[in-house]
């Protein structure tokens, strides 16, 4: 991404929105080099001045090239750090350009961050048919890795052979919830999406796009050429809202493609009418619909699995609440 | 009221009356604490901004209070209105 794109993004969106979280991801965002991020942070400081309450940064990396210099940089810049890691090499699907699993390299990065920097990183794990077969083994693995938090994201991409079936979605996520909730060890402080599901069941304010219908409302994706899209998952002319270098924010947010996407989302939500867990599920993920059916406005393919998960979590919480309140309602 | 609504109502009623100090399970205690805080009974609210990126530098470095302070919810109505 060129410096003029970064500057325009910060200036235009920063002028329009009261708060922004800049999520630097990719591809592999560390490939841009530390100097790129030094300039980006300098551009933020030039725009926001000392008012750091209006923005945050996070970076999501595969961890391969994340050395001590990077760690010192993100710590000094107060950039939230997440590692992308799908489990041990035997079940992980992330590979290098030469086709070799990268899990051992990520494990080395996690060890180094803990031992040298006293930092237990959060891990974003894409759940596929490969690593979902053994939730007990996967939980034990990440616990042994000493990660501080874990987010489980069902595979939504174009490879249908990796996608979870509805049954596997339900069995995997409910088992992972039980393993985490019943684990007396607090090492894995948060496990997503359960922290969001629990909060929404209780009416607490949480937000994760796939559980809050946040797409087309809370998120914009900016590509290296300045192109603005609905979401990093949606590319191409049908999903392009404009270009940050040449268009105003008002024009971008009034894009016919954005209106069409919101209409499609409304269509999908109409299918959920009458569902008893809708206020927790929010109608599912549009990316999941897009990759499974080729259009945004269809029911989330994990619909039934999500419903099973929500009811399971609510039931478990109710059991615990009864236990600790020492009485039935 | 359907079954799920009944479950939620029962759960919220119970959660509001649990003393977090009596909960010996760390994850459930944190949830009780967050829920009671949202009801105005003290405790620590959860931040709406903690998305999928795990424990941040601030959290792991002892600055959790600042990161988790009340009303720290950037995904607020004002943002959505600006997007509209």
């Amino acid at each position: 991404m060129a410096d003029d794109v970064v500057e325009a993004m910060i200036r235009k969106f920063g002028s329009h929105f009261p708060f922004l979280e800049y999520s630097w991801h990719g591809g592999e965002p560390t490939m841009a080099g530390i100097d790129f991020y030094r300039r980006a942070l300098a551009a933020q400081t030039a725009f926001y001045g000392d008012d750091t309450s209006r923005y945050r940064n996070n970076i999501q990396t595969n961890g391969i090239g994340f050395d001590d210099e990077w760690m010192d940089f993100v710590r000094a810049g107060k950039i939230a750090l997440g590692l992308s890691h799908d489990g041990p090499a035997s079940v992980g699907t992330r590979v290098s350009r030469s086709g070799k699993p990268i899990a051992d390299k990520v494990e080395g990065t996690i060890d180094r961050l803990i031992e040298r920097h006293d930092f237990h990183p959060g891990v974003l794990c894409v759940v596929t048919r490969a690593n979902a077969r053994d939730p007990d083994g996967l939980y034990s693995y990440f616990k042994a890795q000493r990660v501080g938090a874990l987010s489980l994201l069902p595979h939504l991409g174009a490879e249908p052979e990796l996608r979870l079936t509805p049954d596997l979605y339900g069995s995997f996520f409910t088992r992972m919830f039980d393993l985490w909730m019943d684990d007396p060890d607090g090492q894995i402080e948060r496990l997503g999406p359960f922290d969001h599901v629990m909060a929404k069941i209780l009416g607490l304010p949480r937000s994760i796009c796939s559980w809050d219908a946040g797409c087309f409302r809370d998120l914009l994706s900016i590509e290296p050429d300045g192109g603005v899209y609905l979401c990093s998952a949606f590319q191409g002319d049908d999903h392009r809202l404009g270009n940050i270098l040449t268009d105003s924010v008002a024009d971008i947010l009034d894009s016919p493609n954005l209106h069409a996407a919101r209409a499609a989302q409304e269509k999908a939500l109409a299918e959920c009418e009458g569902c008893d867990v809708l206020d927790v599920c929010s109608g599912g993920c549009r990316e999941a619909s897009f990759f499974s059916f080729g259009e945004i406005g269809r029911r989330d393919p994990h619909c039934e699995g999500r419903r099973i998960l929500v009811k399971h979590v609510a039931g478990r919480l109710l059991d615990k609440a009864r236990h600790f309140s020492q009485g039935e309602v | 009221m359907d079954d799920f609504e009944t479950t939620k109502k029962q759960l919220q009623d119970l959660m509001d009356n649990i003393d977090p100090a009596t909960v010996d399970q760390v994850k459930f205690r944190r949830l009780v604490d967050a829920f009671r805080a949202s009801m105005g009974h003290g405790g620590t609210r959860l931040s709406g901004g903690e998305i999928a990126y795990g424990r941040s530098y601030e959290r792991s470095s002892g600055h959790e209070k600042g990161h988790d302070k009340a009303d720290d919810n950037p995904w607020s109505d004002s943002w959505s209105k600006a997007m509209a």
Side-chain angles (χ1 to χ4, degrees):
Chain A
M1 182 178 281
D3 290 349
D4 60 339
V5 175
V6 174
E7 189 277 332
M9 173 181 73
I10 293 168
R11 175 172 47 82
K12 289 187 175 180
F13 288 134
S15 298
H16 189 84
F17 293 109
F19 179 88
L20 288 173
E21 177 133 11
Y22 295 90
S23 296
W24 305 95
H25 66 109
E28 172 47 44
T30 59
M31 294 294 287
I34 285 183
D35 284 345
F36 167 80
Y37 294 98
R38 288 196 177 103
R39 295 194 300 274
L41 265 57
Q44 289 174 332
T45 300
F47 177 78
Y48 292 106
D50 293 332
D51 188 2
T52 56
S53 68
R54 289 192 57 209
Y55 68 100
R56 291 180 189 157
N57 288 288
N58 65 65
I59 190 166
Q60 187 69 30
T61 173
N62 64 23
I64 291 179
F66 203 83
D67 58 16
D68 292 341
E69 184 183 8
W70 269 106
M71 187 61 208
D72 291 341
F73 172 72
V74 300
R75 174 164 280 177
K78 297 188 176 181
I79 301 171
L81 169 65
L83 296 186
S84 301
H85 184 31
D86 301 341
S90 57
V91 297
T93 55
R94 294 181 196 273
V95 295
S96 66
R97 286 183 178 174
S98 62
K100 294 179 180 173
I102 64 171
D104 58 336
K105 291 187 171 64
V106 187
E107 291 168 1
T109 297
I110 292 172
D111 283 344
R112 184 162 37 78
L113 293 178
I114 294 171
E115 300 303 329
R116 291 194 195 173
H117 300 275
D118 192 25
F119 177 77
H120 295 259
V123 163
L124 181 65
C125 171
V126 175
V127 183
T128 67
R129 286 186 202 180
N131 59 10
R133 290 195 189 102
D134 180 16
D136 293 62
L138 196 65
Y139 184 81
S140 297
Y141 170 81
F142 280 119
K143 191 173 171 185
Q145 289 285 300
R146 300 174 290 165
V147 303
L150 182 62
S151 280
L152 303 169
L153 179 70
H155 176 80
L156 303 174
E159 304 90 344
E161 71 279 7
L162 293 177
R163 289 184 207 139
L164 303 180
T165 62
D167 285 348
L168 187 54
Y169 183 103
S171 62
F172 173 80
F173 278 95
T174 53
R175 180 62 184 156
M176 285 297 275
F177 176 77
D178 288 346
L179 288 165
W180 176 73
M181 181 54 88
D182 295 337
D183 185 352
D185 187 326
Q187 169 62 45
I188 300 180
E189 185 179 322
R190 296 195 312 278
L191 183 56
F194 309 129
D195 47 352
H196 301 270
V197 172
M198 291 190 300
K200 292 200 75 173
I201 288 171
L202 290 170
L204 300 175
R206 300 291 281 178
S207 179
I208 180 172
C209 60
S210 57
W211 285 86
D212 202 39
C215 43
F216 322 144
R217 188 193 70 203
D218 290 349
L219 185 74
L220 292 169
S221 177
I222 296 89
E223 294 298 308
D225 67 353
V228 182
Y229 293 85
L230 299 166
C231 164
S232 59
F234 303 135
Q235 299 294 305
D237 290 343
D238 288 347
H239 305 126
R240 187 181 176 89
L241 309 182
N243 189 294
I244 195 61
L245 289 174
T246 55
D247 298 320
S248 70
V249 175
D251 285 344
I252 288 170
L253 299 182
D254 196 32
S255 161
N257 284 342
L258 182 55
H259 291 299
R262 285 174 172 162
Q265 188 176 37
E266 288 298 316
K267 172 176 171 282
L269 283 172
E271 288 193 50
C272 301
E273 191 172 345
C275 176
D276 53 354
V277 303
L278 177 59
D279 64 336
V280 177
C281 168
S282 299
C285 175
R286 298 301 96 217
E287 180 184 350
S289 164
F290 180 72
F291 279 112
S292 288
F293 307 117
E295 57 180 288
I296 291 171
R298 297 281 292 276
R299 179 177 291 187
D300 187 319
H302 301 130
C303 171
E304 188 55 32
R306 291 165 67 97
R307 191 165 181 275
I308 290 169
L309 173 63
V310 170
K311 294 206 165 192
H312 179 79
V313 170
R316 290 294 320 273
L317 293 182
L318 183 59
D319 288 344
K320 286 188 178 293
R322 282 175 170 153
H323 173 77
F324 286 109
S325 65
Q326 296 179 326
E328 300 282 330
V329 173
Chain B
M1 194 179 289
D2 63 31
D3 287 348
F4 187 62
E5 283 301 311
T6 303
T7 298
K8 283 198 305 181
K9 179 70 168 55
Q10 286 182 338
L11 174 61
Q12 292 175 9
D13 287 346
L14 288 169
M15 294 284 278
D16 202 25
N17 289 296
I18 295 173
D19 178 359
T22 67
V23 181
D24 60 0
Q25 298 178 7
V26 60
K27 289 139 190 169
F28 192 65
R29 183 171 63 241
R30 186 165 184 253
L31 193 65
V32 170
D33 197 34
F35 179 76
R36 288 174 54 78
S38 75
M39 296 289 106
H41 301 322
T44 304
R45 290 193 187 194
L46 299 172
S47 163
E50 293 170 18
I51 52 176
Y53 302 97
R55 192 188 302 181
S56 69
Y57 160 69
E58 289 86 350
R59 295 182 65 80
S60 69
S61 303
H63 299 157
E64 185 169 348
K65 290 294 182 186
H67 193 64
D68 257 353
K69 62 187 177 186
D71 296 321
D72 180 18
N73 183 4
W75 312 110
S76 62
D77 287 345
S78 61
W79 207 98
S80 298
K81 286 172 183 169
M83 186 76 172

